[in-house]
Amino acid sequence: NKDNLSRVNVPVLLLYSSKDRQAGIKMGDKLNKLILKSEIVTSNKYNHSWLLHRIDESGFLGEIEKFIKSLK
């Protein structure tokens, strides 16, 4: 719920695609506002199934690497 999400105090990277009909960018934007230390990255290439097997092609792998390096 909103209260629990607002208490998250670790950095969170949110990955969303404009072609995702199950978890759309609007949902990501809402989460980004609720989670204080979050960062959102969006793509317009793939639908909901992109994350697990197309992460290199989507460009998200580079974003994940940048996010992790920024935490050091």
Side-chain angles (χ1 to χ4, degrees), residues 35-58:
I35 303 171
L36 297 177
K37 293 183 178 182
S38 66
E39 179 181 329
I40 188 168
V41 176
T42 60
S43 171
N44 60 0
K45 293 183 180 183
Y46 300 108
N47 61 21
H48 193 72
S49 63
W50 59 264
L51 183 58
L52 295 178
H53 65 284
R54 294 187 181 139
I55 198 159
D56 274 349
E57 296 172 23
S58 69

Side-chain angles (χ1 to χ4, degrees), residues 6-23:
S6 66
R7 287 188 237 157
V8 173
N9 62 2
V10 296
V12 174
L13 180 61
L14 303 167
L15 305 172
Y16 282 85
S17 173
S18 62
K19 292 187 177 182
D20 191 335
R21 302 289 182 233
Q22 295 174 346

